[in-house]
Amino acid sequence: MKTLLLLSFTWVTILTKAQQTPLSPPGSSSLTQSVNSAANFGKISGTVMDEAQNKPVEFATVALINPQTEKPITGTTTDEQGKFTINNVQTGIYRIVISFLGYDNKTIPTVTVSRTGVATALGVVSLRANSQTLNEVVVTGEKALIEDKDDRLVYNADKDLTNTGGTAIDVLKKVPLLTVDPDGTVQLKGSSSIKVLINNKPSSIMARSISEALQMIPAELIKSVEVITAPSAKYDSEGTAGIINIITKNQLQGLTGGLTSSVGSRRNNLGGNFNLKRNKLSITAYGGTNWSNYYGNSATVRQNLRDGNVFSIITQSNTFKNRGNSQFGSFSIDYDLDSTNRIGIDANFGKDSRNTFSTRDTRQSIDTVLAFRRYNDSQNRNNSMDVNFNYTKTFKRSPDQEYTFLAQYNQNDNQSGYKLNQFPLPVEDIVTYRERNENQNQQSELTLQTDYAHPFSTTKRRILEVGSKLIARNVGSDYRLENAPDGSLNFREDPRRSNEFNYKQSVWASYASFRLRTENRWNFNVGGRFEMTTINADFISTATRFSDRYQNFLPNLSISKRLGNEQRIRVNYSQRIQRPSINFLNPYVNYADPKNIQTGNPYLDPELTHSVELSYSTFTKGGTTINLMIFGRQTNNAIERITTVDSTGVSNSTYRNISRNATYGFNWFGAVKPVKQWNLSGSVGMNYNLLNSPSLQITNKNWSYQFNLNTSVQLPKDISIQVNGSYTSRRIQLQGQSSGFYYYGFSARKEFKKQNFSVTANFENPFREYNIVENYLRTTTFLSDGINYNVVRNIRLSLNWRFGKMKTSTDREKKKINNDDRK
């Protein structure tokens, strides 16, 4: 295997230089070459395919050998379709050797170039996968931290040392185009209207809270994060800003596994994985648990206005401590029935338990001062599960002709409750009010999906994809509240504050997408998706029934051009939809904070967004990557949270389709290796944000920016260090704005390769305890100023042990369901 790798590397180096000038055929002299240089050149072409799976082998080395000297003359590598062409070949007899890591070499002993200007077509050349063990392979190159692919940006999380011992939230903080607020809210290009997938499919652990779900997923489980800003028609049209796809690790052929543990000031983790792949059977399993400890505080001053004058002031301060324990497990079983049929089943399980204790002081000044303190002890228990079945049929006629059937069932069960005691201020040992609550919530989702891809030629230049999908969702909740207004233990149910509902939503969709690749390296992708949504809701506690049905046709277009082998330019247009979730629709009135009341709006319409992107990418074999993107996004019926204050000084918040939002901006990303042991990457983004509500006569606009920097150095004795940081400027809302925030971290790792063991130390924000964010709201009925302190300092030590042996093996792509359709 060492020999194969060194030969491949040597050939690529020689061939790159050799292609600069045409060379003589075997047995010819330089004089003969100069005489015939204008007339005796031909070319050799062919396609390299995987013998077992009948799929293209990308980046295989194709060497043209002089049969007399046994030395390589020239050569090339295959493209993404497995195709290759060797130009400027003089007439003569040659030998072709094709090689790629994980395959046996393929030799074509006699290749004759006999006609000037005519291509010698070798047709399809099949490579057979080998199973040579990789125990002692010397790696001469490695995958870049960031990769720019045709339709997505890929962040290879397993190459980033600072992720060790962290969670998915820590990983997303370092992904280009993404920002993560201190409260865990994830934004893509300045918008939180996104869909988060795990292995190309939705997961029930995301159903209740994306932020909390991401904290359940260990960073060690994540292989890469894909950012898809302009998904094709094959993807669900939800997520107006795009899709974030988290890919978990999948080992190679053989038996492998490992154990990981970390101890930190805010989070502790323990987990293990097991991977077995033998011939047609593949089994992968992971299980782990983590313990977290978060705390912080906040303060708010609200001046309530009447005819432009302040008539009351409400001051609130809050402290909280949150302790949680979560478990996450998954398994996947795949079996190849034969070379063209595969079935598989996989499942994910999540369990989360959190206790939060908070103290809130409230003071209201009108003519007299009303002051009280509330102690709130809340518990939250959440269980999630999703089970998937997939069947894939490929056809020997073409590797790109494929039929898939997919089924998925998700379920999320949530039990929550709290106990609240209220005391007068200054604090006296007298309870003036008590409250307690229990909530049972269940969400389920059944998805059936079928897709078919039909190539119109064996060259993968024209492919039609069609498919259909049905999603059936069911959400039920039973929320009961009891209180004792006199502060006694005589609790009574408050029917005004019960919240019982049943909510059903179904989405039926069909799509068609056509891809065309030309010989001069133009790529065209045009498609459309038709979706019909039906909603039936019964909000029992408010005696509100609601039903709706709407249809949407959502087109998209992508055009790209390869400029040589190292540059690409691309333009995209897409129309996307964002449906309001049950949290936005539920008309239940939340009185948990009597001075700040919240309610949903069952009559919301979905958001429709137009998005345009222009991007340029360049990448070299030396590891330099540059990506520049210019984009525009406009939503004409955006859902915004609106807050008003009534005559008694109580604020009321709800959601309305009331705004016209637009974001225009650019993002630059670059990665370079100044020397072999040093990686340096970073990104800079700037957005112009415009929020406009004609009905409220409110306009808010600003320039915002964000940047991040990541650098790592490999030192002697298997020691490596890494530093990363980011900053996000202030952000605006329709009625206000929030200040910026920053993050930085350091890490060091020591590898003990003989023992398959590593130790990593991480230091996150070691020189400050809190991330401080200020919030401002300005309306005609109130002025609000607030500040939040969230703990960010974390120091952790992680240990990782691996066992087993890996072997090379080509793996057929596994199909997954993507439900990307809710806000």
Side-chain angles (χ1 to χ4, degrees):
M1 181 61 71
K2 288 183 180 179
T3 304
L4 175 59
L5 289 175
L6 292 173
L7 279 175
S8 299
F9 177 78
T10 303
W11 280 353
V12 169
T13 304
I14 294 175
L15 302 180
T16 302
K17 297 180 179 179
Q19 282 185 299
Q20 297 176 359
T21 57
L23 299 177
S24 304
S28 66
S29 65
S30 58
L31 178 61
T32 305
Q33 177 183 349
S34 61
V35 173
N36 297 328
S37 59
N40 294 334
F41 294 125
K43 58 182 178 179
I44 302 172
S45 64
T47 303
V48 180
M49 306 290 289
D50 182 293
E51 182 179 78
Q53 301 181 31
N54 198 29
K55 287 195 173 185
V57 178
E58 190 177 1
F59 302 124
T61 300
V62 183
L64 187 68
I65 306 296
N66 185 325
Q68 298 177 5
T69 63
E70 297 293 333
K71 293 182 179 180
I73 300 174
T74 185
T76 186
T77 58
T78 58
D79 61 15
E80 61 268 21
Q81 292 89 40
K83 297 177 63 64
F84 69 88
T85 300
I86 303 176
N87 295 305
N88 298 326
V89 181
Q90 287 193 336
T91 57
I93 299 175
Y94 303 89
R95 186 189 326 149
I96 293 287
V97 177
I98 303 174
S99 61
F100 190 65
L101 180 64
Y103 292 89
D104 295 329
N105 289 358
K106 182 76 171 186
T107 300
I108 304 175
T110 303
V111 177
T112 303
V113 179
S114 58
R115 297 183 59 188
T116 303
V118 177
T120 300
L122 302 181
V124 175
V125 181
S126 298
L127 294 187
R128 176 179 300 176
N130 63 35
S131 58
Q132 187 169 351
T133 303
L134 292 178
N135 284 346
E136 299 180 359
V137 169
V138 177
V139 179
T140 57
E142 62 178 19
K143 188 181 294 184
L145 184 65
I146 306 291
E147 292 183 285
D148 181 23
K149 296 190 175 181
D150 282 343
D151 64 342
R152 65 197 64 194
L153 199 66
V154 181
Y155 166 75
N156 292 303
D158 55 351
K159 301 297 181 184
D160 193 333
L161 302 182
T162 58
N163 294 326
T164 304
T167 68
I169 283 285
D170 302 305
V171 174
L172 295 187
K173 289 178 181 178
K174 299 161 222 173
V175 179
L177 302 179
L178 300 185
T179 58
V180 181
D181 291 355
D183 61 0
T185 301
V186 182
Q187 293 189 336
L188 171 58
K189 296 188 301 183
S191 172
S192 59
S193 178
I194 57 177
K195 184 65 178 181
V196 178
L197 307 176
I198 298 177
N199 293 325
N200 296 297
K201 70 180 190 301
S203 177
S204 57
I205 67 172
M206 301 287 176
R208 187 171 58 90
S209 168
I210 290 178
S211 174
E212 292 185 6
L214 292 173
Q215 293 182 32
M216 292 174 56
I217 303 174
E220 287 80 7
L221 189 62
I222 300 175
K223 177 183 178 183
S224 62
V225 177
E226 300 177 345
V227 180
I228 310 172
T229 57
S232 69
K234 187 174 182 177
Y235 287 89
D236 289 341
S237 55
E238 189 73 10
T240 55
I243 294 172
I244 300 172
N245 186 25
I246 298 174
I247 304 297
T248 58
K249 294 178 180 178
N250 186 20
Q251 300 294 335
L252 299 175
Q253 182 89 336
L255 173 64
T256 61
L259 295 175
T260 301
S261 66
S262 69
V263 178
S265 56
R266 286 194 293 111
R267 187 170 50 248
N268 303 317
N269 299 329
L270 177 65
N273 65 83
F274 169 83
N275 307 275
L276 174 65
K277 190 167 186 181
R278 296 284 173 82
N279 300 322
K280 297 182 178 182
L281 178 66
S282 175
I283 301 175
T284 299
Y286 179 88
T289 183
N290 68 68
W291 300 264
S292 60
N293 177 29
Y294 292 89
Y295 53 90
N297 58 83
S298 63
T300 304
V301 177
R302 190 175 78 231
Q303 302 178 66
N304 302 315
L305 307 178
R306 183 184 298 152
D307 298 326
N309 299 314
V310 177
F311 73 90
S312 70
I313 298 176
I314 295 179
T315 303
Q316 292 185 311
S317 60
N318 180 67
T319 63
F320 75 91
K321 293 182 179 180
N322 181 305
R323 292 186 176 181
N325 172 233
S326 62
Q327 294 84 40
F328 181 84
S330 66
F331 75 85
S332 174
I333 302 175
D334 296 290
Y335 186 76
D336 294 327
L337 300 174
D338 52 39
S339 61
T340 61
N341 292 274
R342 163 183 277 197
I343 60 172
I345 184 171
D346 61 88
N348 296 294
F349 305 92
K351 184 177 182 181
D352 185 40
S353 175
R354 294 184 180 275
N355 290 350
T356 303
F357 183 79
S358 63
T359 302
R360 172 173 290 177
D361 290 351
T362 301
R363 291 178 172 85
Q364 181 174 4
S365 303
I366 307 179
D367 297 327
T368 60
V369 176
L370 173 65
F372 58 87
R373 171 173 292 176
R374 287 189 163 189
Y375 295 100
N376 191 318
D377 186 6
S378 64
Q379 302 86 36
N380 197 298
R381 309 289 183 266
N382 192 71
N383 295 286
S384 59
M385 172 195 70
D386 45 80
V387 180
N388 306 271
F389 170 81
N390 62 84
Y391 166 74
T392 302
K393 167 70 176 178
T394 57
F395 298 83
K396 294 184 177 180
R397 169 184 173 271
S398 170
D400 298 300
Q401 185 180 6
E402 186 175 74
Y403 169 79
T404 60
F405 172 77
L406 308 165
Q408 180 184 73
Y409 177 75
N410 289 350
Q411 183 169 307
N412 185 285
D413 297 317
N414 177 258
Q415 297 180 355
S416 61
Y418 66 83
K419 295 179 181 179
L420 180 152
N421 293 330
Q422 179 174 305
F423 297 81
L425 285 175
V427 176
E428 299 178 9
D429 193 18
I430 300 173
V431 179
T432 59
Y433 177 80
R434 297 181 190 270
E435 184 175 291
R436 63 189 184 191
N437 144 269
E438 288 186 1
N439 180 31
Q440 303 283 338
N441 177 276
Q442 184 180 83
Q443 303 183 42
S444 63
E445 181 176 283
L446 175 65
T447 304
L448 302 175
Q449 176 178 333
T450 183
D451 303 279
Y452 175 70
H454 184 82
F456 290 93
S457 66
T458 58
T459 59
K460 201 179 179 179
R461 289 180 179 170
R462 294 175 296 158
I463 298 178
L464 175 66
E465 294 179 307
V466 294
S468 189
K469 183 177 189 177
L470 174 65
I471 308 173
R473 297 190 176 99
N474 192 353
V475 182
S477 179
D478 187 359
Y479 180 102
R480 304 291 177 181
L481 184 140
E482 298 178 328
N483 58 17
D486 59 358
S488 68
L489 297 177
N490 298 320
F491 287 94
R492 293 185 179 181
E493 185 174 337
D494 186 348
R496 298 176 307 145
R497 298 179 63 183
S498 65
N499 181 25
E500 185 178 0
F501 66 84
N502 291 306
Y503 174 85
K504 295 182 178 180
Q505 181 193 79
S506 63
V507 180
W508 174 78
S510 290
Y511 75 90
S513 179
F514 181 73
R515 301 202 312 264
L516 172 65
R517 290 183 171 91
T518 66
E519 290 187 356
N520 55 357
R521 311 189 79 176
W522 281 94
N523 291 341
F524 300 88
N525 193 329
V526 60
R529 189 176 184 91
F530 175 81
E531 296 189 348
M532 181 173 68
T533 305
T534 302
I535 297 174
N536 289 287
D538 183 8
F539 300 101
I540 301 169
S541 55
T542 59
T544 304
R545 291 194 174 186
F546 171 76
S547 62
D548 195 11
R549 173 179 291 187
Y550 47 87
Q551 303 173 2
N552 303 95
F553 177 75
L554 304 155
N556 63 71
L557 172 67
S558 176
I559 302 174
S560 66
K561 167 66 173 172
R562 288 278 185 181
L563 307 174
N565 293 323
E566 298 181 350
Q567 300 180 76
R568 182 187 67 236
I569 188 169
R570 180 178 65 213
V571 61
N572 300 307
Y573 165 77
S574 64
Q575 187 174 349
R576 313 278 299 165
I577 188 174
Q578 190 76 51
R579 299 178 183 85
S581 67
I582 187 62
N583 296 328
F584 288 75
L585 299 171
N586 188 1
Y588 168 72
V589 181
N590 186 346
Y591 293 94
D593 182 350
K595 300 301 179 183
N596 298 280
I597 298 173
Q598 302 178 36
T599 184
N601 179 4
Y603 303 103
L604 290 173
D605 293 324
E607 296 178 343
L608 293 174
T609 298
H610 299 272
S611 178
V612 178
E613 293 178 358
L614 174 64
S615 64
Y616 167 80
S617 301
T618 180
F619 33 88
T620 68
K621 293 180 180 179
T624 299
T625 300
I626 296 176
N627 176 276
L628 177 64
M629 175 187 294
I630 303 172
F631 67 89
R633 183 177 64 247
Q634 180 169 315
T635 305
N636 295 325
N637 59 334
I639 299 173
E640 292 288 342
R641 180 176 176 176
I642 303 299
T643 302
T644 58
V645 170
D646 62 22
S647 59
T648 65
V650 175
S651 75
N652 294 269
S653 298
T654 188
Y655 300 95
R656 295 171 63 185
N657 293 100
I658 205 169
S659 179
R660 181 180 302 139
N661 296 350
T663 301
Y664 310 97
F666 77 89
N667 183 274
W668 173 90
F669 168 79
V672 65
K673 297 188 70 171
V675 296
K676 182 179 179 181
Q677 294 80 14
W678 182 18
N679 288 285
L680 181 64
S681 64
S683 66
V684 177
M686 180 169 287
N687 301 338
Y688 177 71
N689 309 290
L690 175 62
L691 310 181
N692 180 35
S693 176
S695 60
L696 295 180
Q697 297 183 344
I698 298 176
T699 298
N700 202 357
K701 56 187 176 180
N702 83 325
W703 283 95
S704 62
Y705 60 92
Q706 59 278 334
F707 66 83
N708 65 59
L709 184 67
N710 193 306
T711 182
S712 63
V713 179
Q714 185 69 41
L715 302 175
K717 298 183 179 180
D718 297 319
I719 297 175
S720 52
I721 59 174
Q722 188 163 340
V723 180
N724 69 299
S726 66
Y727 177 78
T728 300
S729 69
R730 67 187 183 98
R731 299 144 294 151
I732 60 170
Q733 309 165 31
L734 184 61
Q735 295 180 308
Q737 63 176 310
S738 299
S739 65
F741 55 92
Y742 64 93
Y743 165 89
Y744 60 91
F746 311 89
S747 73
R749 173 184 289 177
K750 167 63 177 175
E751 297 266 0
F752 301 90
K753 292 188 175 181
K754 290 185 177 180
Q755 293 79 20
N756 291 327
F757 185 75
S758 64
V759 180
T760 306
N762 282 282
F763 306 88
E764 301 174 16
N765 305 284
F767 305 118
R768 63 189 182 116
E769 184 176 8
Y770 294 102
N771 208 338
I772 303 174
V773 177
E774 299 177 347
N775 302 289
Y776 310 93
L777 295 176
R778 299 290 185 265
T779 74
T780 58
T781 60
F782 72 93
L783 307 175
S784 177
D785 298 271
I787 187 168
N788 293 292
Y789 297 83
N790 293 291
V791 62
V792 292
R793 180 187 294 156
N794 186 35
I795 299 173
R796 64 179 183 266
L797 181 68
S798 302
L799 309 177
N800 182 274
W801 173 68
R802 302 173 301 277
F803 65 86
K805 298 179 180 180
M806 294 189 299
K807 300 179 181 179
T808 56
S809 172
T810 56
D811 198 9
R812 293 166 59 180
E813 181 182 1
K814 187 173 182 178
K815 300 299 177 178
K816 296 288 187 180
I817 282 177
N818 308 316
N819 289 352
D820 326 315
D821 63 311
R822 287 180 293 176
K823 183 179 180 76

